[in-house]
Amino acid sequence: MSERFDDATRTRLEVDAKEVIARYPKSRSALLPLLHLVQAEEGYVSRAGIGFCAETLGLTAAEVTAVATFYTMYKRRPMGEYHVGVCTNTLCAVMGGDEIFAGLKEHLGVGNDETTEDGKVTLEHLECNAACDFAPVVMVNWEFFDDQTPESAKRLVDDLRLGNDVVPTRGAGPVCTWKQASRVLAGFSDGRAGEGPQAAGPSLEGLKLARERGWTAPPPGASGPAPTEGGDR
């Protein structure tokens, strides 16, 4: 891979980069979205992408590389069209996440952080999808697929590889590609943020209970209840 984008690509990226940088009081604060921007170009953060970010922001390649290798959402080698992340953190794991991950590895014939031969799916175990109330959870390009089983997860990846429309449990559907998702994370809206349910099921139980019982939040600055004699509130 070249260590520099071709002129046409670089010119196009420079236009978008100026828009990103203008959002911040200091240009180096734009590094995270710029990394997503170059990832949207090639599907990963290449040497050319690191060089572009460094030159654009007046940073060294080492400084950019340190950030790109720290955050797991930035990938350093080409990704599949769909990134399938299986939560294997505590709650998802005990609810079946480990079984789902093992089943997908066998079904797809890949290991962790590997891509199928057709370039369609990259499989990765994730530490937490921030959706414990829907465990076990699988994400496709950061869209939620809740309450999964080994069987449903296999059907999911089969549909992705066949090019079938796949609709997440919550969020916009059908799911976009990995490159498209990276561009959205760079801050360029695809106009689909309001599609699909944004919250459902267990996530709304607390709100439902509060409405049934007439509970409201305390006004700003209000102190909580006084501690009891034993120190409990």
Side-chain angles (χ1 to χ4, degrees):
M1 173 59 64
S2 170
E3 295 193 15
R4 186 178 177 85
F5 290 123
D6 60 64
D7 290 342
T9 301
R10 187 177 182 85
T11 298
R12 178 164 41 78
L13 286 173
E14 285 174 347
V15 173
D16 288 339
K18 287 180 181 178
E19 182 177 337
V20 172
I21 294 169
R23 303 171 190 157
Y24 299 90
K26 294 185 178 180
S27 63
R28 69 179 298 147
S29 299
L31 177 55
L32 297 183
L34 277 191
L35 285 169
H36 283 299
L37 180 65
V38 296
Q39 184 160 265
E41 186 64 36
E42 299 179 287
Y44 72 112
V45 179
S46 65
R47 289 186 178 181
I50 287 175
F52 175 82
C53 291
E55 291 176 30
T56 303
L57 299 176
L59 302 173
T60 66
E63 288 175 307
V64 176
T65 301
V67 175
T69 54
F70 179 82
Y71 293 104
T72 59
M73 289 179 74
Y74 303 120
K75 306 303 180 183
R76 295 306 315 281
R77 59 177 179 269
M79 297 287 289
E81 189 173 352
Y82 299 99
H83 172 266
V84 176
V86 181
C87 184
T88 56
N89 212 336
T90 306
L91 185 57
C92 277
V94 300
M95 295 293 287
D98 284 341
E99 185 180 357
I100 290 172
F101 186 61
L104 287 181
K105 285 196 294 183
E106 180 179 2
H107 186 67
L108 295 171
V110 298
N112 180 53
D113 204 22
E114 293 182 354
T115 303
T116 54
E117 291 185 1
D118 58 9
K120 287 289 185 178
V121 172
T122 298
L123 180 67
E124 182 181 7
H125 79 84
L126 303 179
E127 283 303 309
C128 184
N129 283 336
C132 298
D133 45 349
F134 294 100
V137 174
V138 172
M139 297 192 86
V140 177
N141 295 343
W142 312 119
E143 296 287 0
F144 289 103
F145 291 79
D146 304 322
D147 302 312
Q148 291 293 294
T149 65
E151 292 72 27
S152 67
K154 290 174 185 177
R155 289 195 299 270
L156 171 61
V157 296
D158 286 347
D159 282 338
L160 292 172
R161 299 181 76 183
L162 290 170
N164 297 332
D165 285 347
V166 172
V167 179
T169 310
R170 292 169 285 138
V175 295
C176 62
T177 67
W178 171 254
K179 290 183 180 180
Q180 290 169 338
S182 294
R183 183 169 176 82
V184 171
L185 290 171
F188 294 92
S189 174
D190 61 1
R192 304 176 64 200
E195 288 185 20
Q198 306 302 304
S203 297
L204 299 177
E205 285 302 311
L207 177 62
K208 178 182 176 182
L209 185 62
R211 287 175 173 171
E212 289 175 351
R213 301 190 179 185
W215 293 343
T216 58
S223 59
T228 64
E229 208 172 294
D232 296 329
R233 290 184 177 272

